[in-house]
Amino acid sequence: MGIMDTPEEWRVTATATPFVGNKTSVRTDEVVMPDGSTATRDYQVHPGSVAVVALDEQGRVLVLKQYRHPVRQKLWEIPAGLLDVPGEHPLRAAQRELFEEAHVKAEDWRVLTDIYTTPGGCDEAIRIFLARGLSAAEGERFEVSEEEADMEFARVPLGELVRGALAGELHNNCLVVGVLALSAALASGEEGLASLRPADAAWPARPFEA
């Protein structure tokens, strides 16, 4: 018997959008429960994101450190960004983020895993890619500003990132999920990496144009 998530949508009797921000909004739905009663559910509406575990030939992962105001910390993260172009192919978005944030390109791309960040309060879906065959990108570096202007960069052995995640020293969800997923895939050798989905695999949570 396979264990997998399944689509389902409970009836909504009323909906409102009390807040609209630059990239996200907040929605309030009145949802019919299984016993026929209704309950109010507030949640953030999010366009979705992509993230990249960029692995070099020495087994190191490209990471960056960025200030995150809501948690008042500078977090080590992997390159990531919003799917803020409707229908955009997530692979193209991931390639753009790797270029813009780290000025790096990759020859081999696979889907590492797909996640919902906080499904109890936000509909954000993230596709995490594995990128290998890294090299310096050509052309001018993307001009950074605001929090990104203060970013630090490093290439850290995968095992050290796994240790930091399990020790409670690293907290960014994409980094933690990405390095643990990659570690699990590598535990099966090359067969594990070969079993990863292709970079253009379907993504029902955020359908995209081919």
PDB file of all heavy atoms in Angstrom, residues 143-181:
ATOM      1  N   GLU A 143      22.815  42.920  -9.915  1.00  0.00           N
ATOM      2  CA  GLU A 143      23.021  43.943  -8.898  1.00  0.00           C
ATOM      3  C   GLU A 143      22.077  43.713  -7.728  1.00  0.00           C
ATOM      4  O   GLU A 143      20.850  43.755  -7.877  1.00  0.00           O
ATOM      5  CB  GLU A 143      22.785  45.333  -9.483  1.00  0.00           C
ATOM      6  CG  GLU A 143      23.086  46.459  -8.502  1.00  0.00           C
ATOM      7  CD  GLU A 143      22.946  47.832  -9.135  1.00  0.00           C
ATOM      8  OE1 GLU A 143      22.776  47.903 -10.372  1.00  0.00           O
ATOM      9  OE2 GLU A 143      23.001  48.818  -8.383  1.00  0.00           O
ATOM     10  N   VAL A 144      22.650  43.458  -6.556  1.00  0.00           N
ATOM     11  CA  VAL A 144      21.848  43.145  -5.383  1.00  0.00           C
ATOM     12  C   VAL A 144      21.544  44.408  -4.595  1.00  0.00           C
ATOM     13  O   VAL A 144      22.233  45.426  -4.713  1.00  0.00           O
ATOM     14  CB  VAL A 144      22.564  42.116  -4.480  1.00  0.00           C
ATOM     15  CG1 VAL A 144      22.723  40.787  -5.196  1.00  0.00           C
ATOM     16  CG2 VAL A 144      23.929  42.637  -4.038  1.00  0.00           C
ATOM     17  N   SER A 145      20.491  44.329  -3.763  1.00  0.00           N
ATOM     18  CA  SER A 145      20.091  45.467  -2.938  1.00  0.00           C
ATOM     19  C   SER A 145      19.409  44.937  -1.686  1.00  0.00           C
ATOM     20  O   SER A 145      19.135  43.745  -1.545  1.00  0.00           O
ATOM     21  CB  SER A 145      19.138  46.388  -3.715  1.00  0.00           C
ATOM     22  OG  SER A 145      17.964  45.686  -4.080  1.00  0.00           O
ATOM     23  N   GLU A 146      19.118  45.844  -0.754  1.00  0.00           N
ATOM     24  CA  GLU A 146      18.425  45.526   0.489  1.00  0.00           C
ATOM     25  C   GLU A 146      19.131  44.378   1.222  1.00  0.00           C
ATOM     26  O   GLU A 146      20.352  44.376   1.345  1.00  0.00           O
ATOM     27  CB  GLU A 146      16.945  45.232   0.207  1.00  0.00           C
ATOM     28  CG  GLU A 146      16.240  46.427  -0.443  1.00  0.00           C
ATOM     29  CD  GLU A 146      14.822  46.143  -0.833  1.00  0.00           C
ATOM     30  OE1 GLU A 146      14.428  44.968  -0.919  1.00  0.00           O
ATOM     31  OE2 GLU A 146      14.083  47.115  -1.089  1.00  0.00           O
ATOM     32  N   GLU A 147      18.388  43.359   1.711  1.00  0.00           N
ATOM     33  CA  GLU A 147      19.026  42.274   2.468  1.00  0.00           C
ATOM     34  C   GLU A 147      20.081  41.533   1.658  1.00  0.00           C
ATOM     35  O   GLU A 147      21.084  41.064   2.195  1.00  0.00           O
ATOM     36  CB  GLU A 147      17.971  41.268   2.970  1.00  0.00           C
ATOM     37  CG  GLU A 147      17.058  41.769   4.064  1.00  0.00           C
ATOM     38  CD  GLU A 147      15.786  42.388   3.516  1.00  0.00           C
ATOM     39  OE1 GLU A 147      15.745  42.703   2.308  1.00  0.00           O
ATOM     40  OE2 GLU A 147      14.839  42.556   4.292  1.00  0.00           O
ATOM     41  N   GLU A 148      19.851  41.413   0.349  1.00  0.00           N
ATOM     42  CA  GLU A 148      20.771  40.649  -0.482  1.00  0.00           C
ATOM     43  C   GLU A 148      22.141  41.322  -0.615  1.00  0.00           C
ATOM     44  O   GLU A 148      23.130  40.657  -0.925  1.00  0.00           O
ATOM     45  CB  GLU A 148      20.164  40.412  -1.866  1.00  0.00           C
ATOM     46  CG  GLU A 148      18.949  39.487  -1.834  1.00  0.00           C
ATOM     47  CD  GLU A 148      18.416  39.200  -3.225  1.00  0.00           C
ATOM     48  OE1 GLU A 148      18.818  39.914  -4.170  1.00  0.00           O
ATOM     49  OE2 GLU A 148      17.600  38.283  -3.367  1.00  0.00           O
ATOM     50  N   ALA A 149      22.210  42.620  -0.363  1.00  0.00           N
ATOM     51  CA  ALA A 149      23.484  43.326  -0.475  1.00  0.00           C
ATOM     52  C   ALA A 149      24.459  42.923   0.623  1.00  0.00           C
ATOM     53  O   ALA A 149      25.657  43.161   0.517  1.00  0.00           O
ATOM     54  CB  ALA A 149      23.247  44.830  -0.431  1.00  0.00           C
ATOM     55  N   ASP A 150      23.947  42.280   1.678  1.00  0.00           N
ATOM     56  CA  ASP A 150      24.771  41.907   2.829  1.00  0.00           C
ATOM     57  C   ASP A 150      25.023  40.397   2.879  1.00  0.00           C
ATOM     58  O   ASP A 150      25.483  39.872   3.884  1.00  0.00           O
ATOM     59  CB  ASP A 150      24.071  42.366   4.119  1.00  0.00           C
ATOM     60  CG  ASP A 150      24.964  42.258   5.341  1.00  0.00           C
ATOM     61  OD1 ASP A 150      26.146  42.613   5.240  1.00  0.00           O
ATOM     62  OD2 ASP A 150      24.476  41.791   6.391  1.00  0.00           O
ATOM     63  N   MET A 151      24.741  39.676   1.809  1.00  0.00           N
ATOM     64  CA  MET A 151      24.852  38.222   1.832  1.00  0.00           C
ATOM     65  C   MET A 151      26.301  37.756   1.900  1.00  0.00           C
ATOM     66  O   MET A 151      27.192  38.361   1.302  1.00  0.00           O
ATOM     67  CB  MET A 151      24.176  37.599   0.600  1.00  0.00           C
ATOM     68  CG  MET A 151      22.662  37.657   0.628  1.00  0.00           C
ATOM     69  SD  MET A 151      21.864  36.609  -0.614  1.00  0.00           S
ATOM     70  CE  MET A 151      22.541  37.268  -2.131  1.00  0.00           C
ATOM     71  N   GLU A 152      26.512  36.636   2.613  1.00  0.00           N
ATOM     72  CA  GLU A 152      27.795  35.932   2.632  1.00  0.00           C
ATOM     73  C   GLU A 152      27.625  34.628   1.864  1.00  0.00           C
ATOM     74  O   GLU A 152      26.529  34.059   1.823  1.00  0.00           O
ATOM     75  CB  GLU A 152      28.210  35.618   4.073  1.00  0.00           C
ATOM     76  CG  GLU A 152      28.303  36.817   4.984  1.00  0.00           C
ATOM     77  CD  GLU A 152      28.537  36.394   6.421  1.00  0.00           C
ATOM     78  OE1 GLU A 152      29.380  35.504   6.655  1.00  0.00           O
ATOM     79  OE2 GLU A 152      27.856  36.943   7.310  1.00  0.00           O
ATOM     80  N   PHE A 153      28.713  34.140   1.261  1.00  0.00           N
ATOM     81  CA  PHE A 153      28.648  32.908   0.480  1.00  0.00           C
ATOM     82  C   PHE A 153      29.681  31.912   0.988  1.00  0.00           C
ATOM     83  O   PHE A 153      30.743  32.290   1.483  1.00  0.00           O
ATOM     84  CB  PHE A 153      28.908  33.195  -1.002  1.00  0.00           C
ATOM     85  CG  PHE A 153      27.850  34.065  -1.642  1.00  0.00           C
ATOM     86  CD1 PHE A 153      27.963  35.451  -1.620  1.00  0.00           C
ATOM     87  CD2 PHE A 153      26.744  33.505  -2.249  1.00  0.00           C
ATOM     88  CE1 PHE A 153      26.999  36.261  -2.195  1.00  0.00           C
ATOM     89  CE2 PHE A 153      25.771  34.304  -2.824  1.00  0.00           C
ATOM     90  CZ  PHE A 153      25.907  35.677  -2.804  1.00  0.00           C
ATOM     91  N   ALA A 154      29.370  30.625   0.848  1.00  0.00           N
ATOM     92  CA  ALA A 154      30.306  29.576   1.232  1.00  0.00           C
ATOM     93  C   ALA A 154      29.941  28.294   0.493  1.00  0.00           C
ATOM     94  O   ALA A 154      28.815  28.137  -0.006  1.00  0.00           O
ATOM     95  CB  ALA A 154      30.269  29.331   2.743  1.00  0.00           C
ATOM     96  N   ARG A 155      30.923  27.409   0.398  1.00  0.00           N
ATOM     97  CA  ARG A 155      30.673  26.045  -0.071  1.00  0.00           C
ATOM     98  C   ARG A 155      31.030  25.122   1.085  1.00  0.00           C
ATOM     99  O   ARG A 155      32.177  25.087   1.536  1.00  0.00           O
ATOM    100  CB  ARG A 155      31.496  25.728  -1.315  1.00  0.00           C
ATOM    101  CG  ARG A 155      31.079  26.562  -2.529  1.00  0.00           C
ATOM    102  CD  ARG A 155      31.618  25.994  -3.817  1.00  0.00           C
ATOM    103  NE  ARG A 155      31.270  26.832  -4.960  1.00  0.00           N
ATOM    104  CZ  ARG A 155      31.304  26.414  -6.221  1.00  0.00           C
ATOM    105  NH1 ARG A 155      31.698  25.172  -6.496  1.00  0.00           N
ATOM    106  NH2 ARG A 155      30.975  27.224  -7.207  1.00  0.00           N
ATOM    107  N   VAL A 156      30.026  24.402   1.570  1.00  0.00           N
ATOM    108  CA  VAL A 156      30.154  23.627   2.801  1.00  0.00           C
ATOM    109  C   VAL A 156      29.924  22.151   2.502  1.00  0.00           C
ATOM    110  O   VAL A 156      28.974  21.804   1.783  1.00  0.00           O
ATOM    111  CB  VAL A 156      29.127  24.125   3.848  1.00  0.00           C
ATOM    112  CG1 VAL A 156      29.263  23.351   5.149  1.00  0.00           C
ATOM    113  CG2 VAL A 156      29.301  25.625   4.093  1.00  0.00           C
ATOM    114  N   PRO A 157      30.759  21.248   3.037  1.00  0.00           N
ATOM    115  CA  PRO A 157      30.535  19.814   2.828  1.00  0.00           C
ATOM    116  C   PRO A 157      29.122  19.406   3.247  1.00  0.00           C
ATOM    117  O   PRO A 157      28.610  19.860   4.281  1.00  0.00           O
ATOM    118  CB  PRO A 157      31.591  19.150   3.714  1.00  0.00           C
ATOM    119  CG  PRO A 157      32.692  20.161   3.801  1.00  0.00           C
ATOM    120  CD  PRO A 157      31.992  21.495   3.811  1.00  0.00           C
ATOM    121  N   LEU A 158      28.503  18.553   2.435  1.00  0.00           N
ATOM    122  CA  LEU A 158      27.132  18.135   2.704  1.00  0.00           C
ATOM    123  C   LEU A 158      26.989  17.584   4.113  1.00  0.00           C
ATOM    124  O   LEU A 158      26.027  17.897   4.824  1.00  0.00           O
ATOM    125  CB  LEU A 158      26.700  17.088   1.669  1.00  0.00           C
ATOM    126  CG  LEU A 158      25.324  16.445   1.892  1.00  0.00           C
ATOM    127  CD1 LEU A 158      24.211  17.486   1.803  1.00  0.00           C
ATOM    128  CD2 LEU A 158      25.092  15.324   0.887  1.00  0.00           C
ATOM    129  N   GLY A 159      27.930  16.763   4.545  1.00  0.00           N
ATOM    130  CA  GLY A 159      27.837  16.157   5.867  1.00  0.00           C
ATOM    131  C   GLY A 159      27.811  17.174   6.992  1.00  0.00           C
ATOM    132  O   GLY A 159      27.142  16.967   8.010  1.00  0.00           O
ATOM    133  N   GLU A 160      28.526  18.283   6.818  1.00  0.00           N
ATOM    134  CA  GLU A 160      28.530  19.330   7.840  1.00  0.00           C
ATOM    135  C   GLU A 160      27.182  20.028   7.914  1.00  0.00           C
ATOM    136  O   GLU A 160      26.710  20.392   9.003  1.00  0.00           O
ATOM    137  CB  GLU A 160      29.639  20.337   7.539  1.00  0.00           C
ATOM    138  CG  GLU A 160      29.705  21.522   8.498  1.00  0.00           C
ATOM    139  CD  GLU A 160      29.992  21.129   9.945  1.00  0.00           C
ATOM    140  OE1 GLU A 160      30.444  19.983  10.189  1.00  0.00           O
ATOM    141  OE2 GLU A 160      29.751  21.960  10.835  1.00  0.00           O
ATOM    142  N   LEU A 161      26.523  20.199   6.777  1.00  0.00           N
ATOM    143  CA  LEU A 161      25.194  20.802   6.779  1.00  0.00           C
ATOM    144  C   LEU A 161      24.169  19.862   7.403  1.00  0.00           C
ATOM    145  O   LEU A 161      23.285  20.310   8.146  1.00  0.00           O
ATOM    146  CB  LEU A 161      24.780  21.168   5.356  1.00  0.00           C
ATOM    147  CG  LEU A 161      25.620  22.265   4.687  1.00  0.00           C
ATOM    148  CD1 LEU A 161      25.193  22.439   3.235  1.00  0.00           C
ATOM    149  CD2 LEU A 161      25.505  23.593   5.432  1.00  0.00           C
ATOM    150  N   VAL A 162      24.269  18.574   7.121  1.00  0.00           N
ATOM    151  CA  VAL A 162      23.375  17.602   7.754  1.00  0.00           C
ATOM    152  C   VAL A 162      23.569  17.631   9.270  1.00  0.00           C
ATOM    153  O   VAL A 162      22.604  17.643  10.041  1.00  0.00           O
ATOM    154  CB  VAL A 162      23.621  16.189   7.197  1.00  0.00           C
ATOM    155  CG1 VAL A 162      22.861  15.143   8.012  1.00  0.00           C
ATOM    156  CG2 VAL A 162      23.196  16.115   5.728  1.00  0.00           C
ATOM    157  N   ARG A 163      24.831  17.635   9.702  1.00  0.00           N
ATOM    158  CA  ARG A 163      25.106  17.684  11.140  1.00  0.00           C
ATOM    159  C   ARG A 163      24.502  18.939  11.756  1.00  0.00           C
ATOM    160  O   ARG A 163      23.876  18.886  12.825  1.00  0.00           O
ATOM    161  CB  ARG A 163      26.621  17.667  11.375  1.00  0.00           C
ATOM    162  CG  ARG A 163      27.013  17.573  12.852  1.00  0.00           C
ATOM    163  CD  ARG A 163      28.363  18.210  13.117  1.00  0.00           C
ATOM    164  NE  ARG A 163      28.378  19.643  12.810  1.00  0.00           N
ATOM    165  CZ  ARG A 163      27.839  20.585  13.600  1.00  0.00           C
ATOM    166  NH1 ARG A 163      27.243  20.249  14.737  1.00  0.00           N
ATOM    167  NH2 ARG A 163      27.881  21.862  13.251  1.00  0.00           N
ATOM    168  N   GLY A 164      24.678  20.092  11.099  1.00  0.00           N
ATOM    169  CA  GLY A 164      24.145  21.341  11.623  1.00  0.00           C
ATOM    170  C   GLY A 164      22.630  21.352  11.690  1.00  0.00           C
ATOM    171  O   GLY A 164      22.039  21.894  12.634  1.00  0.00           O
ATOM    172  N   ALA A 165      21.980  20.750  10.701  1.00  0.00           N
ATOM    173  CA  ALA A 165      20.516  20.679  10.710  1.00  0.00           C
ATOM    174  C   ALA A 165      20.024  19.828  11.875  1.00  0.00           C
ATOM    175  O   ALA A 165      19.087  20.207  12.596  1.00  0.00           O
ATOM    176  CB  ALA A 165      20.009  20.117   9.385  1.00  0.00           C
ATOM    177  N   LEU A 166      20.642  18.682  12.090  1.00  0.00           N
ATOM    178  CA  LEU A 166      20.207  17.784  13.164  1.00  0.00           C
ATOM    179  C   LEU A 166      20.577  18.328  14.541  1.00  0.00           C
ATOM    180  O   LEU A 166      19.932  17.981  15.540  1.00  0.00           O
ATOM    181  CB  LEU A 166      20.822  16.399  12.961  1.00  0.00           C
ATOM    182  CG  LEU A 166      20.399  15.666  11.680  1.00  0.00           C
ATOM    183  CD1 LEU A 166      21.104  14.328  11.576  1.00  0.00           C
ATOM    184  CD2 LEU A 166      18.890  15.489  11.618  1.00  0.00           C
ATOM    185  N   ALA A 167      21.584  19.184  14.599  1.00  0.00           N
ATOM    186  CA  ALA A 167      21.996  19.764  15.875  1.00  0.00           C
ATOM    187  C   ALA A 167      21.198  21.014  16.235  1.00  0.00           C
ATOM    188  O   ALA A 167      21.409  21.606  17.292  1.00  0.00           O
ATOM    189  CB  ALA A 167      23.489  20.100  15.827  1.00  0.00           C
ATOM    190  N   GLY A 168      20.303  21.439  15.363  1.00  0.00           N
ATOM    191  CA  GLY A 168      19.521  22.639  15.630  1.00  0.00           C
ATOM    192  C   GLY A 168      20.293  23.919  15.417  1.00  0.00           C
ATOM    193  O   GLY A 168      19.930  24.978  15.942  1.00  0.00           O
ATOM    194  N   GLU A 169      21.349  23.859  14.597  1.00  0.00           N
ATOM    195  CA  GLU A 169      22.170  25.028  14.318  1.00  0.00           C
ATOM    196  C   GLU A 169      21.785  25.714  13.009  1.00  0.00           C
ATOM    197  O   GLU A 169      22.144  26.867  12.777  1.00  0.00           O
ATOM    198  CB  GLU A 169      23.643  24.620  14.273  1.00  0.00           C
ATOM    199  CG  GLU A 169      24.145  24.046  15.590  1.00  0.00           C
ATOM    200  CD  GLU A 169      25.508  23.396  15.481  1.00  0.00           C
ATOM    201  OE1 GLU A 169      26.050  23.326  14.354  1.00  0.00           O
ATOM    202  OE2 GLU A 169      26.029  22.948  16.510  1.00  0.00           O
ATOM    203  N   LEU A 170      21.080  25.007  12.145  1.00  0.00           N
ATOM    204  CA  LEU A 170      20.624  25.523  10.858  1.00  0.00           C
ATOM    205  C   LEU A 170      19.111  25.352  10.805  1.00  0.00           C
ATOM    206  O   LEU A 170      18.595  24.275  11.127  1.00  0.00           O
ATOM    207  CB  LEU A 170      21.298  24.770   9.707  1.00  0.00           C
ATOM    208  CG  LEU A 170      22.831  24.850   9.676  1.00  0.00           C
ATOM    209  CD1 LEU A 170      23.389  23.873   8.650  1.00  0.00           C
ATOM    210  CD2 LEU A 170      23.298  26.263   9.385  1.00  0.00           C
ATOM    211  N   HIS A 171      18.399  26.408  10.364  1.00  0.00           N
ATOM    212  CA  HIS A 171      16.942  26.400  10.513  1.00  0.00           C
ATOM    213  C   HIS A 171      16.158  26.672   9.235  1.00  0.00           C
ATOM    214  O   HIS A 171      14.940  26.474   9.220  1.00  0.00           O
ATOM    215  CB  HIS A 171      16.528  27.436  11.559  1.00  0.00           C
ATOM    216  CG  HIS A 171      17.203  27.259  12.885  1.00  0.00           C
ATOM    217  ND1 HIS A 171      18.417  27.833  13.181  1.00  0.00           N
ATOM    218  CD2 HIS A 171      16.841  26.545  13.973  1.00  0.00           C
ATOM    219  CE1 HIS A 171      18.775  27.496  14.420  1.00  0.00           C
ATOM    220  NE2 HIS A 171      17.844  26.723  14.922  1.00  0.00           N
ATOM    221  N   ASN A 172      16.807  27.163   8.188  1.00  0.00           N
ATOM    222  CA  ASN A 172      16.063  27.458   6.964  1.00  0.00           C
ATOM    223  C   ASN A 172      15.449  26.182   6.406  1.00  0.00           C
ATOM    224  O   ASN A 172      16.139  25.171   6.226  1.00  0.00           O
ATOM    225  CB  ASN A 172      16.999  28.098   5.939  1.00  0.00           C
ATOM    226  CG  ASN A 172      16.313  28.321   4.604  1.00  0.00           C
ATOM    227  OD1 ASN A 172      16.441  27.498   3.711  1.00  0.00           O
ATOM    228  ND2 ASN A 172      15.576  29.410   4.485  1.00  0.00           N
ATOM    229  N   ASN A 173      14.144  26.217   6.120  1.00  0.00           N
ATOM    230  CA  ASN A 173      13.456  24.982   5.750  1.00  0.00           C
ATOM    231  C   ASN A 173      13.972  24.380   4.451  1.00  0.00           C
ATOM    232  O   ASN A 173      14.140  23.155   4.345  1.00  0.00           O
ATOM    233  CB  ASN A 173      11.937  25.192   5.691  1.00  0.00           C
ATOM    234  CG  ASN A 173      11.521  26.271   4.718  1.00  0.00           C
ATOM    235  OD1 ASN A 173      12.337  27.021   4.190  1.00  0.00           O
ATOM    236  ND2 ASN A 173      10.223  26.362   4.476  1.00  0.00           N
ATOM    237  N   CYS A 174      14.249  25.208   3.460  1.00  0.00           N
ATOM    238  CA  CYS A 174      14.730  24.664   2.187  1.00  0.00           C
ATOM    239  C   CYS A 174      16.103  24.027   2.348  1.00  0.00           C
ATOM    240  O   CYS A 174      16.373  22.963   1.767  1.00  0.00           O
ATOM    241  CB  CYS A 174      14.789  25.765   1.129  1.00  0.00           C
ATOM    242  SG  CYS A 174      13.182  26.338   0.589  1.00  0.00           S
ATOM    243  N   LEU A 175      16.973  24.658   3.123  1.00  0.00           N
ATOM    244  CA  LEU A 175      18.285  24.079   3.349  1.00  0.00           C
ATOM    245  C   LEU A 175      18.165  22.747   4.086  1.00  0.00           C
ATOM    246  O   LEU A 175      18.750  21.734   3.678  1.00  0.00           O
ATOM    247  CB  LEU A 175      19.171  25.047   4.135  1.00  0.00           C
ATOM    248  CG  LEU A 175      20.624  24.584   4.371  1.00  0.00           C
ATOM    249  CD1 LEU A 175      21.560  25.778   4.407  1.00  0.00           C
ATOM    250  CD2 LEU A 175      20.763  23.784   5.656  1.00  0.00           C
ATOM    251  N   VAL A 176      17.402  22.728   5.175  1.00  0.00           N
ATOM    252  CA  VAL A 176      17.280  21.513   5.979  1.00  0.00           C
ATOM    253  C   VAL A 176      16.661  20.373   5.163  1.00  0.00           C
ATOM    254  O   VAL A 176      17.192  19.265   5.105  1.00  0.00           O
ATOM    255  CB  VAL A 176      16.459  21.788   7.252  1.00  0.00           C
ATOM    256  CG1 VAL A 176      16.140  20.482   7.975  1.00  0.00           C
ATOM    257  CG2 VAL A 176      17.212  22.729   8.179  1.00  0.00           C
ATOM    258  N   VAL A 177      15.532  20.653   4.521  1.00  0.00           N
ATOM    259  CA  VAL A 177      14.884  19.611   3.721  1.00  0.00           C
ATOM    260  C   VAL A 177      15.774  19.180   2.562  1.00  0.00           C
ATOM    261  O   VAL A 177      15.919  17.993   2.270  1.00  0.00           O
ATOM    262  CB  VAL A 177      13.517  20.097   3.204  1.00  0.00           C
ATOM    263  CG1 VAL A 177      12.939  19.103   2.201  1.00  0.00           C
ATOM    264  CG2 VAL A 177      12.552  20.298   4.356  1.00  0.00           C
ATOM    265  N   GLY A 178      16.407  20.159   1.905  1.00  0.00           N
ATOM    266  CA  GLY A 178      17.222  19.848   0.740  1.00  0.00           C
ATOM    267  C   GLY A 178      18.415  18.977   1.064  1.00  0.00           C
ATOM    268  O   GLY A 178      18.669  17.974   0.388  1.00  0.00           O
ATOM    269  N   VAL A 179      19.173  19.329   2.119  1.00  0.00           N
ATOM    270  CA  VAL A 179      20.376  18.550   2.412  1.00  0.00           C
ATOM    271  C   VAL A 179      20.025  17.179   2.973  1.00  0.00           C
ATOM    272  O   VAL A 179      20.715  16.187   2.692  1.00  0.00           O
ATOM    273  CB  VAL A 179      21.341  19.308   3.351  1.00  0.00           C
ATOM    274  CG1 VAL A 179      21.777  20.623   2.715  1.00  0.00           C
ATOM    275  CG2 VAL A 179      20.745  19.538   4.723  1.00  0.00           C
ATOM    276  N   LEU A 180      18.940  17.072   3.744  1.00  0.00           N
ATOM    277  CA  LEU A 180      18.541  15.755   4.245  1.00  0.00           C
ATOM    278  C   LEU A 180      18.032  14.868   3.109  1.00  0.00           C
ATOM    279  O   LEU A 180      18.313  13.668   3.070  1.00  0.00           O
ATOM    280  CB  LEU A 180      17.479  15.902   5.331  1.00  0.00           C
ATOM    281  CG  LEU A 180      17.940  16.545   6.646  1.00  0.00           C
ATOM    282  CD1 LEU A 180      16.774  16.659   7.619  1.00  0.00           C
ATOM    283  CD2 LEU A 180      19.072  15.757   7.277  1.00  0.00           C
ATOM    284  N   ALA A 181      17.287  15.468   2.164  1.00  0.00           N
ATOM    285  CA  ALA A 181      16.815  14.695   1.019  1.00  0.00           C
ATOM    286  C   ALA A 181      17.984  14.229   0.160  1.00  0.00           C
ATOM    287  O   ALA A 181      18.024  13.079  -0.295  1.00  0.00           O
ATOM    288  CB  ALA A 181      15.846  15.533   0.188  1.00  0.00           C
TER     289      ALA A 181
END
